[in-house]
């Protein structure tokens, strides 16, 4: 698979194509304008030659036209293919039996001078293919007034080959191509410099990421343009989240290994002694139960994903309904009514497992202690880039004394030893909330009179 071009190369290639198209259109426009201007200049030049012939011509006593002996340009008087040709076609032309006069350069040549034009009619044509080459021809019909005699109806023709015009156009194109080429090269060099300057912050981000990968620095840091601040902030949060995740896994494994040492040592010591089978059996069952609590707690804590920069927002209501349906079956004897007050805009930005664990433990605790009613409230907490979340779960149970809150949030502590459970649910909730940099508040419910657990997850 071909390696994709860099952003700088893509931008330079795109700009180069646009610049090439622009210069090509500029060349065509200027070339067309110069060609039109050159043709206009040729037309005016031929018009000047024609006026010169009109001024130099005269009439005889018999009323015939006397053509000028010398043309306005020496090439008219040079026999052969001189490049300039003239002719007069009229009623009476002195020294001509065919009512036509030609300049010495036009004698014996097949030129497009046939046809008479009406008075005042002007015709400019070219380039026309002729035996002497391509010609531009200007013709004009003239009525020559002779005092006391009839008018002469004359048509003046002046022609010039296209060599001069073609040479001018070729020279102009060569000069234009040279200058446009130099301008295009200069603009590409300038564009490359601008692109390198504009892409410098992106290269800086790549360098800082490489530094983070090597461990030379912990965050991207640095001052970046406003367009990159959101990206670099998200990358920094992602790096920090991954670092916290790895640290949490490492600490969990260390805690698990350390916590299992004691029950394993107790069972080993019992096996090595001459304890009776009944005592040994109860000791093993006790330590296995303890190990089960430890493993359940550590695995739950390790599964806590914590803050995620690129997490998909999760709606609250579907997960809460699923958990409540399960709890209503477990606590069917109590006939508890669970009421929802969930804002449709409330979203949880994190792992689905964390949301299920958080809601599951809080709602289970509320169902466990409630007498008849549980109230679940969820609403968004506005943020700059994505909203936070406020969860509130209340019950009409006995509540929790303020001096007992910290004690109940410890791992393995149960509000009532007669109630079944490991006593780690609320501590797991607290670990999840801390992982998401939030806050867990435990207080008395003002509306139901029991306990109220409020979770504030900050906006990011």
């Amino acid at each position: 698979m071909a390696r994709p071009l860099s952003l700088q190369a893509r931008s330079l290639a795109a700009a180069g194509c646009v610049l090439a198209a622009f210069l090509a259109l500029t060349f065509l426009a200027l070339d067309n304008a110069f060609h039109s201007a050159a043709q206009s200049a040729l037309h005016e030049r031929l018009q000047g030659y024609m006026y010169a012939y009109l001024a130099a011509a005269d009439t005889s006593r018999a009323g015939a036209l006397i053509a000028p002996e010398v043309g306005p340009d020496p090439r008219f008087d040079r026999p052969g293919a001189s490049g300039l040709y003239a002719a007069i076609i009229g009623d009476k032309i002195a020294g001509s039996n065919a009512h036509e006069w030609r300049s010495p350069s036009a004698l014996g040549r097949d030129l497009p001078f046939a046809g008479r034009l009406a008075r005042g009619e002007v015709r400019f044509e070219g380039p026309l293919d002729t035996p002497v080459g391509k010609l531009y021809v200007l013709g004009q019909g003239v009525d020559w007034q002779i005092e006391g005699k009839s008018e002469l109806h004359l048509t003046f023709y002046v022609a010039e080959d296209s060599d001069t015009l073609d040479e001018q156009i070729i020279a102009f194109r060569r000069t234009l191509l040279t200058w446009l080429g130099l301008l295009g090269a200069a603009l590409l060099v300038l564009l490359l410099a601008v692109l390198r300057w504009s892409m410098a912050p992106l290269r800086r981000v790549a360098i800082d990421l490489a530094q983070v990968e090597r461990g030379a620095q912990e965050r991207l840091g640095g001052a970046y343009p406003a367009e990159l601040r959101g990206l670099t902030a998200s990358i920094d949060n992602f790096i920090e989240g991954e670092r916290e995740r790895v640290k949490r896994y490492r600490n969990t494994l260390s805690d698990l290994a350390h916590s299992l040492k004691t029950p394993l040592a107790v069972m080993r010591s019992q096996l090595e002694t001459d304890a009776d089978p009944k005592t040994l059996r109860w000791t093993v069952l006790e330590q296995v139960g303890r190990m089960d609590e430890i493993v359940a707690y550590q695995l739950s804590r390790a599964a806590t994903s914590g803050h995620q920069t690129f997490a998909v927002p999760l709606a609250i209501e579907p997960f809460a309904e699923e958990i409540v349906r399960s709890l209503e079956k477990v606590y069917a004897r109590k006939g508890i009514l669970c009421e929802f007050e969930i804002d449709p805009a409330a979203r949880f930005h994190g792992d689905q497992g964390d949301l299920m664990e958080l809601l599951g433990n809080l709602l289970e605790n509320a169902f466990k202690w409630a007498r008849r009613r549980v109230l679940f409230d969820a609403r968004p907490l506005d943020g700059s880039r994505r909203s936070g979340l406020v969860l509130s779960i209340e019950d009409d149970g006995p509540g929790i004394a303020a001096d007992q809150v910290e004690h109940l949030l410890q791992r393995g502590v149960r509000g009532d030893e007669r109630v079944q459970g490991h006593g780690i649910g609320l501590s797991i909730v607290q670990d999840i909330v801390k992982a998401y940099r939030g806050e867990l508040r435990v207080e008395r419910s003002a509306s139901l009179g029991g306990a109220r657990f409020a979770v504030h997850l900050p906006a990011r």
Side-chain angles (χ1 to χ4, degrees), residues 212-232:
V212 172
E213 290 177 358
R214 288 194 296 267
Q217 60 187 52
E218 294 185 356
R219 300 170 60 87
L220 291 181
Y224 299 106
E227 294 80 2
L228 295 179
R229 288 173 191 165
L231 173 65
T232 54

Side-chain angles (χ1 to χ4, degrees), residues 113 221 259 277 283 293 307 317 334 421 430 444 455:
F113 291 158
S259 300
T283 301
E293 291 185 8
H307 164 71
E317 189 168 0
K334 302 179 71 173
Q430 192 173 28
R444 180 167 292 278
V455 175

Side-chain angles (χ1 to χ4, degrees), residues 16 31 40 93 97 103 109 212 266 270 293 341 389 447 460:
D31 180 70
S40 178
I93 299 179
N97 296 325
S103 65
R109 298 189 175 278
V212 172
V266 172
Q270 289 294 319
E293 291 185 8
E341 292 183 5
L389 181 64
S447 58
R460 300 296 299 171

Side-chain angles (χ1 to χ4, degrees), residues 343-355:
D343 191 317
R347 292 293 184 273
F348 177 78
H349 294 269
D351 184 74
Q352 179 178 331
D354 290 345
L355 178 60

